[in-house]
Amino acid sequence: MRNLRLLRARGCRAALGTPQCFCLSGELGTVIVGSQHGLVELSPAEDSVTREVSLTAEGFMPEDGSGCIVRIEDLPEQECVCVATAAGDILLCNLSTKQVECVGSVDSGLSTMSWSPDQELVLLVTGQQTLIMMTRDFEPITEKQIHQDEFGEGKFVALGWGKKETQFHGSEGKQAAHRKQTEVSPTSAWDDGRPRVTWRGDGQFVAVGAVCPETGARKVRVWNRELVLQSTSEPISGLEQALSWKPSGSLIASTQEKLNRHDVVFLEKNGLLHGEFTLPFQKGQVKVNELLWNIDSTILAIWLEDLKVENSNPKSYVQLWTSGNYHWYLKQSLHFGSLEENQLVSLQWDQENPYRLHVLCQGWHYLSYDWHWTTDRGMGENSQHMANVAVIDGDKVLVTAFQHAVVPPPMCTYELQLQQAVNQVAFHTDPKRCGDIAVLDADNRISVYRYGQSTINDPTVRFGAVGGSGFKAAVETPYLDTTYRVDVGSDNNEANPLGLRFLTWLPDDSFLVVAQGQHAAQSVLHHLTAVPHTPGAEEEHLTLRLSVPVDGEVISLCCSPVTRTVALQLADRQILKYFWEASPPALKPWRASTGSAVQFPHPCVQTAVTRISGEEVILGLTDRCRFFVNDTEVATNITSFATYNEFLLVTTNSHTCQCFCLKNTSVKALQAGLSSAAAPNSETLRKVERGSRIVTVVPQDTKVVLQMPRGNLETVHHRALVLAQIRKWLDRLMFKEAFHCMRKLRINLNLLYDHNPKVFLENAETFIKQIDSVNYLNLFFTELKEEDFTKSMYPSLNGSSSALPDQHRHQKKVNLICDVMRVAMEHIDPQKYCLSILTAHVKKSPPELEIALQKVHDLRESTTPEVRAVSAEEALKYLLFLVDVNELYDYSLGTYDFDLVIMVAEKSQKDPKEYLPFLNNLRKMETNYQRYTIDRHLKRYTKALGHLSKCGPEYFSEFLNLVKDQNRYCEALKLYPSSTQEYKDISDAYGEYLLQKQLYEQAALIFARAGIFEKALDAFQSSGSWQQALCMASQLGYTRDKLSSLARDMAGKLAEQRKHAEAAILLEQYTQNDEEAVLLLLEGALWEDALRLIHKYDRLDILETNFKPAILEAQKNQLVFIESQKTAFLHHKSRLRVVRELKEKACESLQDYEMPNCPGLDLFSETSSVVTASDMNSKYSQSNSRISARSSKNRRKAERKRYSLKEGSPFEDMALMEALGENVRAVETVKGDIHILLKQLVLFGYDEQAGALQKVLEEVLLLMETSIPEIWTPDLQQSSVSPVLGPNSTANSIMAAYQQKRMVTPAVQDPELLIPPKLSKNLQWKLHLLQ
């Protein structure tokens, strides 16, 4: 759906004889023209003749001007031009030195010369109708006659499957078998009779068309590079002289005059016809001089001339045709008029730029035109006629209104029929009238089509693919309002057709066009306005409001409907802004926000104006897929783009369509988004078919129309546009439109609420009234989920959703929506929305199935059913659709309503023989027992106990059994007062249960509370609560002896548990055995308590017999203990020093070995242990420490053995540090005990023993205090804070630690081992009198 837009037109003139042919000099950008006198080189850029070579002076051409050059070819490798003259000479001319060399001559003269595309071969056609193939050095390869009798090497093989007469002839019937082959008619009178030569694009084959001497008709023969005939065309009546092989190689184009029309026909390499299209002329009206394909095979240029002309020269035309979706479109028509000086001499496509056409006229007027593809689309938003796309097809404009229907080309919604061939189409740039179209035809007339005012049908507007066959078309069509004659540039229109380009219709109903200036590198911007119609005038005119000269060639012009800005791009890539609303209008350079003038890095063929974050920018796309924003290149793989609202849509070479919101972005963000692959579920990107291009975006909708390379259309709903449109609808409370769009395009319906929860809850009734469909509301309920979809699936591109109101902040989302919607539906019409109300109950968490079932039951009970109300049957059937029938049956049973149960059971697959007897049994029971039975059946034990407790004392045994079975003791205790026997029985059972669980103290409390003191006493004894046990004994009225016996038993147990103080209290207070109490205290080293009892009961004899020996024994034990700790400490410390020295050496040797080419970092992976001395010297394998799959007992054993003190074992240094820490902590622990012991020793005069003990302990503490910094070095403590290997370490940090030799620190699993033990300074344990 693209048209050809003229980007630039150049021209220059000279006056030297009569031009006969020309060729292009690609390197210099010049044109070499051959005339009857010689060669002339023109420079279009300088508009002058640069060099010339005379052939008459050298004698190669007659001086009377009768000489003729048949073909010239520029040979850049040989730095000369090859010229073939009709007389038969082949000349090489050097334009620089003006030397001319004749490299060969043909006596019979030359008809034409044709070089292969690679310029390796040259084919000459002589006057004797022979072909001569030569190399580039003009050495002959072979010579053949043009007219051959045989078909060629590609002759078809007849398989002998019957005669032609016996074969099926289709609709023509059997008569076709007897029809004589019609004679081939000879060529037309105007045919020049000269052979035509055309090469295939790859140069492997050449086709030659010549008039057959026998029939007088033209035949096409295909030859290979060795001039071996491949095939001959089938007899084609009326085949004409023009011949051109499509560069891509598939078809050879020619023309054919048929009985009633003039066609362009296509032949295959095998000579058979394959396709055609008809020229828009009557038979015999025009002759076709030449056909030319451009180098990428997309455009076919046809040069035509009028035939029947009296008293004047024939008019010349050049038409450009393109094909799409198997239809041929006439895209551009150049009318050169009938003046002799404007008659065409030759035309040629450029070999480098596929869209540049070169034309040479009789009056030495040379023209070149540059086209490019463009899509002409309406750009507005507020109009009813948006998203229209116009396609030029000869004298018709095919308009497709994508807002109404996506009609594939070549069909359309409607077509505009004009008097002349159309060259340009422009839509109105006023957003409210963007459907109005202005059409510029080949006669420089602008036809304006508008929507609206006219009521009569316009005969020039016809429906295309809509309406017809009795159907009424719902599409409004425009009418032809006015046709204006454009006066500017009309004086030289025939000398330079397409003199006006970039037709733009401004919002104030004026027009802009660009024309060629006085010089080659100049343009003029014409601002045209309509003149009020003068009565009697044949046609209306556009007059010149203003002409602005532009210093440079304008190569693009765009106008934004949103910003009303007109931007021009010059050939030097400079951007100008036209202030058309200013007075007077002015042209100024476009400046960016920084103030610098904007200039594209490369000329762009498509431009557009838009806003990014509020700043106006110009977008540009080159023919090489480079995309610019102002002067910044943002991507290099863009195939097409379109702007819509605040969105930019692009298609890329990687077959994706990306959409960006420009409102809150920057050019850098856009660059990043286009350069990196977006996240797979990102709403900005979607995959599209290979080669897709954007045709248009339908405003106020979500459609993006794409065209495939073949020409067919595809509509996609881009996720970003869909979500943006849905958000707009939700902001405007247009819930219906949003809902239908989301349902159709599979957008999760949670977004209706998540977009703005506060607004949704406030407008729940509006939502229900707009949707107005029970099924749609049910669909909405069933899709509800707890997650916020604006944060997970559809994160907003510009801001987040609103927060919930405070009163709903802590409620679950689904429950909140169900409640609010249910209240709204009950308020509007509870009968109509009955099913939706049921859905709201069921969807809640937990489901309110009882309420839903009750509503179904109420429907059944209602005596006056309304017409619109849902029946109970329907409601129940719907409920069963939402909930599993067995679950619903259980819930209905839980309502204790048997009618409801039977109603549900009837809908289920249950057997009546199963549930009817069960229900009949239940009906016979007493109400509470019946409910107990139901609750027990449904495993609702708490409710079952409640009902059973009301059934009376005869059911208590059953109650107690249920309590024991289900361990529901706490619930059961709440159902009976504490004074009842039932309460006591339940407590007894509960206590026994707790005893089984070995929760003795809790069992005792339960027994005691219920007054079961015997069991409470035993339980308290078992738990060790001797105080409570004595209380229970008191409650049971124990005698003194019995109490003494109990106390003695408990004291024995406490002594076994090393609770000497508590045992001594029992013996002293309840058995009056003071001596035994003192001995127990001495055994526990509780010296001061023992001394107190000795003096209380005046038993001083015990001092000599027991107390003094005990404290002396304790002093000896403590001395031995401290000495053993000191010895072990010193041994471990010295061994640790040795282990560390070994490790240092090992690490250094490893470093020396590996440092030259960087250490093997695999040593330092997070999973491997770090190299230690013990790793290297150990004769134990690491497998000893594998403790993965073991029993818990073995695992504990392995944990204990992890750090072994055995010399050379893995982690020996860690084992030593662990042992040293235990030594320090053991000594620190006994300080308090020794302090008390010292006081007793001094009290009884054992100063010497006390002094010795104090001295030994003081020495050991001093040793440990000085050794701690040596053992737990600062490096170790630092590595425990920041380990070398860990989640925060990097390769660099590991290397740095390695080089600092910090890697000696093992990767331990217990970092607390690296922290030194603390010695308390607060405890004053020493006695001053012993110092």
Side-chain angles (χ1 to χ4, degrees):
M1 302 198 70
R2 297 187 293 172
N3 297 323
L4 284 173
R5 173 181 288 171
L6 184 63
L7 299 186
R8 61 207 286 189
R10 286 179 165 191
C12 70
R13 288 181 178 274
L16 302 149
T18 308
Q20 295 174 338
C21 56
F22 76 99
C23 72
L24 308 170
S25 175
E27 291 180 352
L28 302 171
T30 57
V31 181
I32 301 161
V33 183
S35 70
Q36 74 267 50
H37 300 302
L39 300 183
V40 177
E41 186 179 48
L42 300 177
S43 172
E46 297 168 18
D47 197 3
S48 62
V49 175
T50 53
R51 295 182 291 188
E52 57 181 300
V53 175
S54 173
L55 297 179
T56 53
E58 301 284 339
F60 295 110
M61 301 277 279
E63 294 195 7
D64 60 358
S66 61
C68 177
I69 295 176
V70 293
R71 187 71 186 267
I72 57 177
E73 178 93 10
D74 181 46
L75 304 174
E77 287 187 12
Q78 298 177 32
E79 295 181 357
C80 60
V81 178
C82 182
V83 180
T85 66
D89 293 331
I90 301 168
L91 313 173
L92 289 181
C93 307
N94 190 315
L95 294 174
S96 303
T97 62
K98 301 199 175 180
Q99 287 182 333
V100 181
E101 178 192 355
C102 179
V103 292
S105 185
V106 179
D107 296 337
S108 60
L110 289 174
S111 298
T112 186
M113 169 183 74
S114 179
W115 285 78
S116 64
D118 56 7
Q119 292 194 336
E120 291 293 327
L121 300 173
V122 59
L123 182 67
L124 305 175
V125 183
T126 69
Q128 291 180 335
Q129 301 280 295
T130 61
L131 302 175
I132 302 172
M133 185 74 81
M134 305 176 87
T135 64
R136 59 188 295 179
D137 302 321
F138 301 100
E139 294 174 0
I141 295 174
T142 184
E143 182 175 355
K144 291 277 178 76
Q145 285 289 330
I146 289 181
H147 304 292
Q148 301 279 335
D149 293 332
E150 71 268 14
F151 180 86
E153 284 189 346
K155 186 175 181 180
F156 306 114
V157 179
L159 297 175
W161 288 344
K163 295 180 182 179
K164 190 170 180 66
E165 290 80 10
T166 62
Q167 291 174 359
F168 177 63
H169 293 280
S171 60
E172 292 183 319
K174 290 185 178 180
Q175 291 76 22
H178 307 293
R179 192 181 300 149
K180 294 287 183 192
Q181 186 70 36
T182 53
E183 292 295 321
V184 179
S185 57
T187 55
S188 308
W190 53 263
D191 193 311
D192 59 13
R194 284 171 48 214
R196 295 289 194 280
V197 178
T198 177
W199 288 83
R200 199 167 79 171
D202 59 1
Q204 294 302 308
F205 296 97
V206 60
V208 180
V211 179
C212 178
E214 296 169 8
T215 61
R218 279 193 174 261
K219 271 191 180 177
V220 178
R221 290 180 173 84
V222 177
W223 311 75
N224 67 7
R225 286 171 77 93
E226 287 76 39
L227 221 54
V228 176
L229 182 63
Q230 299 299 300
S231 61
T232 305
S233 66
E234 59 181 307
I236 302 169
S237 186
L239 192 66
E240 296 175 347
Q241 64 187 29
L243 196 68
S244 180
W245 201 323
K246 198 173 184 179
S248 61
S250 54
L251 298 171
I252 303 165
S254 185
T255 55
Q256 180 188 10
E257 196 169 49
K258 296 191 176 174
L259 291 172
N260 55 352
R261 65 181 197 262
H262 205 162
D263 283 0
V264 173
V265 294
F266 301 105
L267 294 97
E268 297 179 14
K269 185 172 84 77
N270 57 19
L272 297 178
L273 286 169
H274 182 112
E276 64 200 19
F277 67 88
T278 303
L279 293 170
F281 296 100
Q282 300 297 321
K283 185 193 174 192
Q285 186 182 343
V286 293
K287 65 172 182 175
V288 179
N289 286 338
E290 290 295 342
L291 296 174
L292 291 105
W293 290 100
N294 71 333
I295 55 166
D296 68 358
S297 304
T298 53
I299 305 173
L300 180 62
I302 305 179
W303 166 19
L304 311 104
E305 275 182 19
D306 280 344
L307 274 178
K308 298 171 184 173
V309 180
E310 295 175 7
N311 307 324
S312 70
N313 292 316
K315 290 183 181 177
S316 297
Y317 313 95
V318 174
Q319 295 184 340
L320 303 189
W321 292 77
T322 67
S323 173
N325 230 6
Y326 306 106
H327 175 80
W328 282 89
Y329 298 88
L330 171 55
K331 289 294 183 189
Q332 295 281 286
S333 294
L334 289 72
H335 292 194
F336 284 90
S338 57
L339 290 174
E340 187 173 354
E341 62 182 35
N342 294 337
Q343 296 297 300
L344 296 187
V345 172
S346 182
L347 64 152
Q348 206 170 325
W349 284 105
D350 197 275
Q351 291 303 300
E352 291 175 6
N353 183 341
Y355 303 114
R356 180 174 291 166
L357 181 68
H358 304 270
V359 180
L360 183 65
C361 300
Q362 289 281 4
W364 282 89
H365 187 201
Y366 160 79
L367 298 162
S368 80
Y369 297 99
D370 287 14
W371 281 278
H372 208 275
W373 295 109
T374 182
T375 303
D376 291 309
R377 53 170 95 93
M379 300 275 281
E381 241 202 78
N382 311 327
S383 153
Q384 300 175 347
H385 310 288
M386 307 171 286
N388 288 3
V389 175
V391 178
I392 295 171
D393 187 10
D395 57 359
K396 293 197 290 283
V397 176
L398 312 179
V399 181
T400 304
F402 284 106
Q403 189 187 10
H404 300 287
V406 178
V407 181
M411 295 187 288
C412 59
T413 310
Y414 57 85
E415 57 185 50
L416 312 177
Q417 180 67 54
L418 286 104
Q419 303 294 321
Q420 288 285 345
V422 177
N423 284 332
Q424 287 183 65
V425 174
F427 282 92
H428 208 305
T429 49
D430 182 352
K432 294 181 181 169
R433 292 183 287 169
C434 64
D436 297 355
I437 306 173
V439 180
L440 177 66
D441 62 25
D443 261 3
N444 264 19
R445 283 201 299 260
I446 295 177
S447 303
V448 173
Y449 285 83
R450 296 182 190 273
Y451 279 95
Q453 297 92 348
S454 177
T455 53
I456 56 164
N457 281 337
D458 191 325
T460 66
V461 181
R462 290 206 311 272
F463 279 120
V466 296
S469 304
F471 289 97
K472 188 182 177 209
V475 186
E476 187 188 352
T477 55
Y479 66 96
L480 179 58
D481 181 44
T482 327
T483 300
Y484 298 106
R485 164 71 65 185
V486 182
D487 293 327
V488 265
S490 60
D491 52 342
N492 66 345
N493 182 34
E494 291 188 343
N496 180 10
L498 305 189
L500 304 177
R501 59 189 194 276
F502 302 123
L503 173 67
T504 307
W505 194 353
L506 295 179
D508 66 347
D509 258 2
S510 60
F511 292 96
L512 284 182
V513 287
V514 176
Q516 185 68 31
Q518 294 296 318
H519 303 289
Q522 272 194 340
S523 299
V524 181
L525 181 66
H526 297 303
H527 196 154
L528 309 170
T529 50
V531 182
H533 184 56
T534 51
E538 287 185 11
E539 56 188 358
E540 297 190 34
H541 288 261
L542 286 172
T543 58
L544 197 57
R545 173 174 160 191
L546 184 77
S547 278
V548 185
V550 184
D551 188 19
E553 279 186 280
V554 177
I555 59 167
S556 80
L557 187 150
C558 62
C559 175
S560 165
V562 182
T563 63
R564 298 164 70 96
T565 302
V566 174
L568 293 83
Q569 180 193 188
L570 305 185
D572 64 357
R573 311 184 308 283
Q574 189 183 346
I575 309 297
L576 303 177
K577 192 185 279 191
Y578 180 53
F579 295 89
W580 57 274
E581 291 177 289
S583 182
L587 201 59
K588 295 178 184 174
W590 182 297
R591 298 198 177 276
S593 54
T594 56
S596 60
V598 172
Q599 187 174 19
F600 282 144
H602 199 272
C604 294
V605 292
Q606 185 190 349
T607 53
V609 176
T610 189
R611 284 198 182 103
I612 294 182
S613 297
E615 183 198 339
E616 195 172 33
V617 295
I618 183 162
L619 311 175
L621 179 66
T622 72
D623 54 352
R624 295 296 175 89
C625 302
R626 295 171 68 184
F627 187 55
F628 305 111
V629 176
N630 283 358
D631 42 17
T632 308
E633 183 170 352
V634 293
T636 56
N637 64 337
I638 306 300
T639 55
S640 68
F641 77 92
T643 56
Y644 156 66
N645 256 1
E646 69 268 27
F647 289 100
L648 167 69
L649 287 104
V650 297
T651 54
T652 67
N653 279 329
S654 51
H655 325 306
T656 60
C657 178
Q658 287 181 264
C659 180
F660 297 95
C661 180
L662 303 178
K663 193 182 279 183
N664 300 319
T665 190
S666 64
V667 177
K668 281 192 176 174
L670 192 63
Q671 203 167 6
L674 282 164
S675 61
S676 63
N681 62 343
S682 164
E683 67 178 61
T684 62
L685 178 139
R686 68 163 289 154
K687 295 273 187 190
V688 290
E689 199 176 315
R690 180 186 293 270
S692 301
R693 292 173 190 273
I694 296 170
V695 174
T696 190
V697 184
V698 181
Q700 295 170 20
D701 196 350
T702 58
K703 286 203 287 270
V704 180
V705 183
L706 303 170
Q707 187 166 27
M708 307 305 117
R710 195 194 80 198
N712 53 313
L713 299 182
E714 190 172 291
T715 306
V716 297
H717 295 267
H718 202 291
R719 180 57 56 89
L721 292 182
V722 172
L723 293 176
Q725 188 60 51
I726 288 168
R727 287 175 187 128
K728 281 181 194 167
W729 279 328
L730 292 176
D731 289 340
R732 297 181 202 149
L733 303 184
M734 296 165 70
F735 293 113
K736 184 178 182 180
E737 290 80 355
F739 183 89
H740 285 302
C741 177
M742 292 166 85
R743 184 172 160 271
K744 186 170 75 175
L745 299 176
R746 309 283 294 167
I747 303 292
N748 195 292
L749 297 175
N750 280 271
L751 190 61
L752 289 165
Y753 169 84
D754 292 334
H755 174 68
N756 195 330
K758 184 169 177 283
V759 169
F760 183 87
L761 295 176
E762 288 169 0
N763 295 279
E765 286 201 17
T766 313
F767 173 70
I768 293 161
K769 285 173 182 171
Q770 282 189 23
I771 301 299
D772 199 35
S773 162
V774 174
N775 286 342
Y776 287 169
L777 289 172
N778 293 346
L779 182 67
F780 171 68
F781 279 125
T782 50
E783 272 206 26
L784 287 178
K785 286 185 179 171
E786 287 298 338
E787 70 177 285
D788 184 350
F789 279 74
T790 59
K791 292 184 174 62
S792 56
M793 194 179 282
Y794 310 119
S796 177
L797 295 175
N798 43 14
S800 59
S801 59
S802 305
L804 266 174
D806 290 337
Q807 68 265 31
H808 303 308
R809 188 67 47 86
H810 303 295
Q811 278 184 270
K812 279 188 172 180
K813 170 184 150 183
V814 177
N815 289 359
L816 177 60
I817 296 170
C818 289
D819 288 341
V820 170
M821 293 273 290
R822 179 176 49 75
V823 170
M825 288 185 291
E826 285 171 350
H827 178 252
I828 297 167
D829 188 344
Q831 278 82 27
K832 178 181 176 182
Y833 296 113
C834 173
L835 298 183
S836 299
I837 291 167
L838 291 178
T839 313
H841 283 300
V842 171
K843 188 63 186 174
K844 285 184 73 174
S845 173
E848 297 176 343
L849 289 177
E850 289 98 332
I851 301 172
L853 281 165
Q854 196 55 51
K855 292 203 169 171
V856 173
H857 189 248
D858 293 347
L859 280 175
R860 193 169 191 171
E861 297 296 312
S862 63
T863 50
T864 55
E866 286 192 34
V867 180
R868 288 185 304 159
V870 178
S871 68
E873 288 285 317
E874 277 182 74
L876 187 62
K877 195 182 272 186
Y878 177 71
L879 210 53
L880 288 169
F881 174 70
L882 295 177
V883 187
D884 177 55
V885 66
N886 295 318
E887 193 181 343
L888 201 62
Y889 175 79
D890 290 346
Y891 269 103
S892 63
L893 201 57
T895 62
Y896 317 116
D897 184 335
F898 293 112
D899 293 345
L900 199 59
V901 175
I902 290 170
M903 196 167 92
V904 173
E906 283 171 352
K907 298 288 178 190
S908 74
Q909 299 290 315
K910 289 182 180 292
D911 187 352
K913 289 178 184 173
E914 288 178 17
Y915 66 80
L916 284 178
F918 174 65
L919 295 179
N920 290 335
N921 284 341
L922 288 173
R923 277 202 172 106
K924 293 172 190 171
M925 296 175 185
E926 184 267 329
T927 307
N928 283 321
Y929 195 75
Q930 177 197 78
R931 293 187 174 183
Y932 153 71
T933 311
I934 290 170
D935 289 331
R936 184 162 185 176
H937 173 74
L938 298 176
K939 297 183 180 175
R940 301 191 301 192
Y941 297 111
T942 307
K943 279 189 173 185
L945 289 172
H947 290 306
L948 190 56
S949 68
K950 296 173 187 170
C951 290
E954 65 270 22
Y955 291 105
F956 181 70
S957 60
E958 192 174 348
F959 178 91
L960 197 57
N961 287 336
L962 181 63
V963 170
K964 287 178 182 175
D965 287 346
Q966 301 302 326
N967 298 330
R968 303 276 172 155
Y969 298 101
C970 295
E971 291 98 323
L973 287 171
K974 292 173 189 171
L975 296 171
Y976 289 97
S978 56
S979 57
T980 58
Q981 181 60 37
E982 286 89 347
Y983 186 89
K984 195 171 181 178
D985 292 347
I986 295 166
S987 298
D988 192 6
Y990 191 16
E992 294 293 344
Y993 169 73
L994 290 171
L995 287 175
Q996 284 175 6
K997 295 280 182 187
Q998 296 184 341
L999 301 169
Y1000 300 113
E1001 192 167 15
Q1002 291 181 43
L1005 292 170
I1006 291 291
F1007 287 136
R1009 192 172 69 173
I1012 309 167
F1013 298 123
E1014 285 281 351
K1015 289 186 176 180
L1017 175 62
D1018 293 343
F1020 277 129
Q1021 268 187 285
S1022 299
S1023 70
S1025 300
W1026 58 271
Q1027 298 95 330
Q1028 293 280 12
L1030 291 169
C1031 295
M1032 291 300 106
S1034 169
Q1035 289 274 16
L1036 290 165
Y1038 269 31
T1039 59
R1040 191 183 184 93
D1041 292 345
K1042 210 169 178 184
L1043 202 60
S1044 172
S1045 171
L1046 176 68
R1048 191 173 292 281
D1049 289 347
M1050 287 196 290
K1053 286 180 183 175
L1054 288 169
E1056 285 171 15
Q1057 295 167 10
R1058 309 283 299 160
K1059 294 180 180 176
H1060 296 95
E1062 293 175 26
I1065 291 170
L1066 278 170
L1067 290 173
E1068 183 209 347
Q1069 294 183 1
Y1070 288 93
T1071 65
Q1072 283 74 42
N1073 192 336
D1074 46 38
E1075 185 177 349
E1076 207 170 330
V1078 170
L1079 291 175
L1080 266 178
L1081 290 168
L1082 291 176
E1083 189 186 329
L1086 300 162
W1087 314 114
E1088 290 173 338
D1089 284 341
L1091 206 55
R1092 178 179 64 79
L1093 288 185
I1094 287 168
H1095 286 286
K1096 179 181 176 184
Y1097 294 106
D1098 198 20
R1099 291 293 307 273
L1100 300 177
D1101 56 316
I1102 297 176
L1103 286 175
E1104 296 298 330
T1105 56
N1106 296 88
F1107 190 89
K1108 288 179 182 177
I1111 58 172
L1112 289 170
E1113 181 69 24
Q1115 186 258 358
K1116 283 178 191 168
N1117 290 341
Q1118 291 288 16
L1119 274 176
V1120 171
F1121 173 74
I1122 291 167
E1123 283 294 339
S1124 69
Q1125 290 297 330
K1126 180 180 176 183
T1127 310
F1129 186 85
L1130 288 168
H1131 171 70
H1132 291 149
K1133 181 183 167 189
S1134 63
R1135 176 61 191 164
L1136 181 63
R1137 193 181 299 115
V1138 172
V1139 168
R1140 285 183 174 169
E1141 283 171 7
L1142 284 169
K1143 185 183 288 186
E1144 290 274 341
K1145 288 176 187 172
C1147 216
E1148 281 170 16
S1149 65
L1150 180 73
Q1151 217 167 355
D1152 294 341
Y1153 177 72
E1154 286 208 341
M1155 276 321 273
N1157 43 354
C1158 203
L1161 283 176
D1162 57 329
L1163 285 172
F1164 310 118
S1165 75
E1166 290 177 310
T1167 52
S1168 66
S1169 69
V1170 181
V1171 178
T1172 63
S1174 48
D1175 286 330
M1176 307 209 181
N1177 303 335
S1178 170
K1179 55 186 179 286
Y1180 300 101
S1181 80
Q1182 285 282 351
S1183 62
N1184 286 351
S1185 62
R1186 285 184 303 184
I1187 52 167
S1188 55
R1190 290 183 172 160
S1191 69
S1192 57
K1193 182 180 174 185
N1194 284 354
R1195 197 177 298 117
R1196 284 197 298 275
K1197 194 174 172 186
E1199 289 285 338
R1200 285 198 299 275
K1201 284 170 61 183
R1202 186 192 299 153
Y1203 302 126
S1204 169
L1205 284 167
K1206 196 164 187 178
E1207 289 192 13
S1209 66
F1211 301 116
E1212 186 190 352
D1213 51 349
M1214 298 313 299
L1216 289 166
M1217 286 169 69
E1218 189 178 28
L1220 287 162
E1222 283 168 5
N1223 293 148
V1224 174
R1225 280 186 284 275
V1227 173
E1228 177 68 19
T1229 308
V1230 298
K1231 272 200 312 193
D1233 297 343
I1234 288 174
H1235 175 62
I1236 296 166
L1237 182 60
L1238 289 174
K1239 288 193 285 185
Q1240 302 307 319
L1241 288 166
V1242 169
L1243 183 65
F1244 290 100
Y1246 299 115
D1247 289 17
E1248 191 181 332
Q1249 287 91 330
L1253 182 60
Q1254 179 165 318
K1255 185 183 176 187
V1256 168
L1257 181 59
E1258 196 171 5
E1259 285 173 2
V1260 171
L1261 284 172
L1262 186 65
L1263 168 70
M1264 289 180 171
E1265 196 173 344
T1266 53
S1267 301
I1268 281 173
E1270 298 173 31
I1271 299 164
W1272 287 276
T1273 58
D1275 282 351
L1276 269 178
Q1277 294 172 50
Q1278 184 189 349
S1279 67
S1280 76
V1281 177
S1282 57
V1284 174
L1285 301 172
N1288 300 321
S1289 57
T1290 63
N1292 292 342
S1293 70
I1294 294 169
M1295 281 302 303
Y1298 184 83
Q1299 284 158 1
Q1300 293 165 13
K1301 302 185 182 177
R1302 264 177 60 206
M1303 296 301 278
V1304 293
T1305 315
V1308 288
Q1309 294 174 348
D1310 302 329
E1312 63 269 13
L1313 292 183
L1314 305 179
I1315 300 167
K1318 288 186 171 55
L1319 291 170
S1320 173
K1321 299 281 180 80
N1322 297 335
L1323 183 64
Q1324 297 296 322
W1325 64 274
K1326 288 191 281 187
L1327 298 181
H1328 191 266
L1329 58 95
L1330 294 175
Q1331 288 179 348

